[in-house]
Amino acid sequence: MVEQQDQGGETLRFEAEVAKLLSLMVHSVYSNRDVFLRELISNAADACEKLRMKALQQPDLLGDDPDFKIVLSADKDGGTLSIADNGIGMDRTELVENLGTIARSGTKAFLDGMTGGDGSALIGQFGVGFYSAFMVASSVEVVSRPAGSDEAWRWWSDGAGTFQLEPVPLEEAPARGTRVLLTLTDEAKTYAEQATIERVVAEYSAHVPVPIVLRIGGDGVGEKSLADGSALWRKAKSAVETSEYNEFYGHVSGQYDEPAVTIHYKAEGRHEYSVLLFVPSMKPFDLFDPERRGRVKLYVRRVYITDEADILPGWLRFVRGVIDSEDLPLNLSREMLQKNPILDAIGKGVTNRILSDLDKLAEKEAETFEKVWEAFGAVIKEGLYEDAERRDGIYKIARFRTTKGDGWRSLADYVADLRPNQTAIYYALGDDLDAIKASPQLEGFARRGIEVLLLADPVDAFWVRTALGFDGKPFQSVTQGSAELDKIPVAEGEAETDAASESAIGTLAALFQQALGERVSAVRASSRLTTSPVCLVAGAGGPDRQLEKILSAQNQTMPRGAPVLELNPGHALIKGLAEKAAAGGHAEVLEDAAVLLYGEARILDGEAPENAADHVARVGRLLTAALG
């Protein structure tokens, strides 16, 4: 919204979320303000890499200045710091779009996450790095000239809700690129000191792929190289220190944690490429973005191409880093990227290497791997559903919570502990672990000492449907089909239960079926139950009940089938009702009992009775009869 216009200049108001963000930056105090410089240097490096790519098709954009660099200029006496690059630059529209609005959807999540704690640790994750400049600056000026353009523009703001925009004479602008000038606040003037700048660059930006130089003094005299722009991923692994990996990880990931896994190697053979990838130790904010975009940067012979190439499958989208190919053509278009067989081969090779390294980590450093799995297991399991080629490899690293203790268990652990006559891997689906553990369907499995996988991630309901099994053992839901547990002996110390006669249970089941009608597909005796009187299960051919719930919640058109009501022959209530059914009569009591127990089974499944008023009325009748 234009507030004022004067001689080609204008004052515009920030987008509402940007204004809120700026207020946060200006008025809040963070324990680590150093991050602003890393964000501005990263933006400058990106601008250089974009022009490097564009110049492959338009070499004249580089003019007589083919070497990219980032120049930091500090004036301690004047209290200013500037960050200049000779990259692609921005025109008026781009200045407004990039600095006046927020294009990335993470902004609201960032603002919501700033309630307490050190918010500066979140800045890089949410694409709001430029605005971190207002943590140290009373005002920010941006002068930018697009490569090949004869126009330059000045953007200025004090962070108070508006920004000014005006054209500037070319002699006052860079030959190309962008210059960001910070007028530092009194408490932040240390950032105009050489020692402070060198420390921050060494800690956060030593390995950006563009050289960084520092000029000290208002007259610009005196220049020192702070980073040579060498490609860390092209160095031998033995020549790189852990601190260097951590610094580079911060640059490519925009995060402030340390990587849990570093994968650095050079592939040679049919295709030659260098790889430097990181598995974060902290979840990126966009981990569950519906677009499932990867964040791996693609280079060709050190020339930046894109960070939007689908190199890795969606279930590895949390991996950050760089892949640099020697074989790909430099003039790659988006369409060529999508169809290029070399890129496909690189993607397959790198994916297999990541799986292999995660498997090694699981064997040698179980505790570290478990932290990785806790953060990204729900995403990796998407591969079980959509990547059949690598399903066996994912099975090897997959970890599960089970009914056997509180730790993580592998499928190999599970199979090693199969009970006598057990032929399947049993699992239970639900919304959370506590709810699953309370499922009545688990009772019979616990009585026989059968371990059950507890699957609480939404993707679990899908991959188990397509899984053929592991080590020759099929996956079977504890809430689907007939459990057939009678062949498996009860665990040591568990006593056999006194059950109602088979004929009496059969009579009761028939009466319940008649009373419930189409609400259930069948009523039968259960081998799953030991404590609860009833439970609901899905038929053998239909989907698991949890999958039905998920699809229904997503407004999928898949109709929900009528469940099976199972009765516990050893439960005192069921035995009493079976005796009444065998004796004849008591039709009204048995009908009420059928509907109420069906409603109880729905409640145990996390659902409400189908007709709450009818349910309450039947409870009232039974209580009145009991008192009479």
Side-chain angles (χ1 to χ4, degrees):
M1 177 179 178
V2 177
E3 299 289 334
Q4 174 183 324
Q5 192 162 341
D6 181 27
Q7 296 181 349
E10 50 191 336
T11 300
L12 295 90
R13 188 165 297 278
F14 283 109
E15 182 185 53
E17 285 188 338
V18 175
K20 182 178 178 182
L21 181 63
L22 285 170
S23 177
L24 199 65
M25 296 296 180
V26 172
H27 299 294
S28 297
V29 178
Y30 299 107
S31 62
N32 182 14
R33 294 183 299 174
D34 294 353
V35 297
F36 85 92
L37 187 53
R38 189 190 85 168
E39 295 303 317
L40 296 180
I41 289 175
S42 292
N43 290 346
D46 288 344
C48 291
E49 292 188 348
K50 288 176 181 177
L51 180 56
R52 197 197 308 265
M53 176 61 186
K54 193 171 183 179
L56 294 174
Q57 297 177 331
Q58 297 177 258
D60 57 313
L61 291 176
L62 298 180
D64 56 0
D65 185 17
D67 299 322
F68 295 100
K69 68 179 177 179
I70 298 168
V71 178
L72 308 181
S73 300
D75 182 354
K76 183 179 178 180
D77 295 333
T80 63
L81 173 66
S82 77
I83 300 91
D85 66 73
N86 57 349
I88 198 164
M90 293 178 282
D91 59 21
R92 179 195 179 282
T93 300
E94 290 167 329
L95 283 168
V96 173
E97 291 179 349
N98 293 338
L99 306 185
T101 62
I102 292 283
R104 289 181 61 175
S105 61
T107 308
K108 186 177 186 304
F110 169 78
L111 293 171
D112 292 343
M114 298 295 283
T115 55
D118 178 18
S120 64
L122 299 174
I123 290 168
Q125 298 180 59
F126 289 88
V128 294
F130 170 78
Y131 305 103
S132 64
F134 286 95
M135 293 193 298
V136 299
S138 58
S139 67
V140 178
E141 177 189 83
V142 179
V143 178
S144 193
R145 178 180 178 180
S149 173
D150 57 1
E151 288 187 357
W153 287 84
R154 174 182 176 271
W155 180 103
W156 181 92
S157 178
D158 60 3
T162 63
F163 62 92
Q164 297 175 9
L165 198 64
E166 64 182 359
V168 297
L170 294 183
E171 60 269 19
E172 298 179 15
R176 70 163 188 263
T178 301
R179 180 179 67 241
V180 180
L181 177 65
L182 311 182
T183 300
L184 300 169
T185 60
D186 289 340
E187 61 271 21
K189 286 186 177 178
T190 181
Y191 289 105
E193 297 176 1
Q194 180 174 348
T196 302
I197 296 170
E198 289 183 7
R199 175 185 60 80
V200 175
V201 171
E203 183 174 357
Y204 291 108
S205 304
H207 298 288
V208 297
V210 179
I212 303 173
V213 298
L214 171 63
R215 293 174 181 167
I216 294 293
D219 57 2
V221 176
E223 186 171 291
K224 181 179 182 178
S225 174
L226 301 185
D228 62 6
S230 61
L232 189 70
W233 59 88
R234 289 198 167 222
K235 294 183 178 180
K237 187 174 182 178
S238 58
V240 183
E241 301 290 338
T242 300
S243 59
E244 294 179 289
Y245 282 133
N246 291 345
E247 291 163 12
F248 188 73
Y249 165 73
H251 168 66
V252 296
S253 71
Q255 296 191 186
Y256 295 86
D257 58 325
E258 291 188 357
V261 181
T262 299
I263 302 172
H264 185 191
Y265 69 99
K266 183 175 182 179
E268 296 177 324
R270 185 177 179 186
H271 301 296
E272 185 175 335
Y273 52 92
S274 300
V275 175
L276 179 52
L277 299 176
F278 305 93
V279 175
S281 57
M282 182 175 68
K283 292 180 182 179
F285 87 95
D286 57 354
L287 183 61
F288 293 102
D289 189 315
E291 294 185 0
R292 303 171 75 225
R293 286 184 179 177
R295 302 295 182 195
V296 172
K297 295 178 181 290
L298 175 64
Y299 285 73
V300 174
R301 297 186 289 281
R302 284 199 63 188
V303 176
Y304 171 74
I305 303 298
T306 182
D307 57 3
E308 295 184 355
D310 294 325
I311 306 174
L312 300 180
W315 54 272
L316 287 177
R317 59 186 176 274
F318 54 87
V319 175
R320 300 294 192 261
V322 169
I323 296 175
D324 188 354
S325 170
E326 295 291 334
D327 306 320
L328 286 165
L330 282 169
N331 60 340
L332 278 170
S333 66
R334 182 174 296 273
E335 291 73 21
M336 291 172 68
L337 278 173
Q338 292 172 343
K339 301 174 182 177
N340 193 285
I342 298 176
L343 194 62
D344 288 342
I346 292 174
K348 289 179 180 179
V350 175
T351 299
N352 291 337
R353 177 61 180 260
I354 293 172
L355 265 180
S356 174
D357 280 18
L358 287 176
D359 185 35
K360 291 176 184 176
L361 183 70
E363 291 181 4
K364 298 178 180 179
E365 300 179 46
E367 186 175 340
T368 300
F369 177 78
E370 287 179 0
K371 291 179 180 178
V372 171
W373 186 260
E374 285 178 2
F376 306 112
V379 175
I380 294 173
K381 284 188 291 186
E382 292 174 11
L384 293 173
Y385 176 66
E386 61 191 22
D387 196 342
E389 182 181 346
R390 296 179 183 85
R391 187 173 293 156
D392 289 343
I394 299 173
Y395 277 153
K396 288 184 67 178
I397 67 170
R399 296 295 184 268
F400 302 92
R401 300 295 188 188
T402 78
T403 53
K404 190 169 185 175
D406 296 325
W408 291 102
R409 298 271 286 170
S410 68
L411 290 176
D413 294 333
Y414 184 103
V415 171
D417 290 345
L418 289 178
R419 295 280 289 140
N421 300 326
Q422 181 182 346
T423 59
I425 297 172
Y426 292 101
Y427 66 87
L429 296 167
D431 296 324
D432 61 75
L433 291 177
D434 290 338
I436 300 174
K437 290 176 182 178
S439 300
Q441 293 93 339
L442 292 178
E443 295 169 1
F445 294 87
R447 183 166 174 266
R448 291 167 173 81
I450 301 172
E451 186 175 10
V452 177
L453 306 181
L454 307 177
L455 307 181
D457 294 318
V459 69
D460 290 326
F462 296 91
W463 72 259
V464 292
R465 287 274 293 170
T466 59
L468 299 177
F470 175 79
D471 196 23
K473 307 295 187 294
F475 292 94
Q476 183 172 334
S477 170
V478 300
T479 65
Q480 187 176 20
S482 177
E484 298 180 352
L485 299 179
D486 294 335
K487 297 178 182 178
I488 302 175
V490 297
E492 186 176 347
E494 295 282 349
E496 294 287 350
T497 56
D498 178 26
S501 69
E502 186 175 335
S503 62
I505 285 293
T507 302
L508 181 65
L511 290 173
F512 273 25
Q513 176 77 71
Q514 183 178 357
L516 295 172
E518 294 182 354
R519 284 176 280 193
V520 296
S521 60
V523 180
R524 67 188 180 210
S526 177
S527 60
R528 303 172 211 264
L529 299 171
T530 61
T531 304
S532 302
V534 292
C535 71
L536 291 174
V537 300
D544 182 274
R545 286 179 53 73
Q546 179 67 12
L547 177 59
E548 286 185 331
K549 292 178 187 177
I550 292 174
L551 295 176
S552 178
Q554 295 176 349
N555 296 319
Q556 299 283 350
T557 56
M558 179 179 178
R560 295 190 65 174
V564 176
L565 178 67
E566 290 197 343
L567 311 178
N568 180 0
H571 194 280
L573 176 58
I574 299 300
K575 287 196 289 186
L577 291 171
E579 291 172 2
K580 288 184 179 294
H586 310 288
E588 185 176 1
V589 172
L590 290 171
E591 180 183 340
D592 282 343
V595 177
L596 289 174
L597 286 171
Y598 171 69
E600 178 181 326
R602 285 179 59 87
I603 293 170
L604 288 171
D605 255 11
E607 298 180 299
E610 288 184 349
N611 187 327
D614 178 67
H615 189 87
V616 171
R618 291 179 188 272
V619 170
R621 276 205 301 270
L622 284 178
L623 290 175
T624 301
L627 292 173

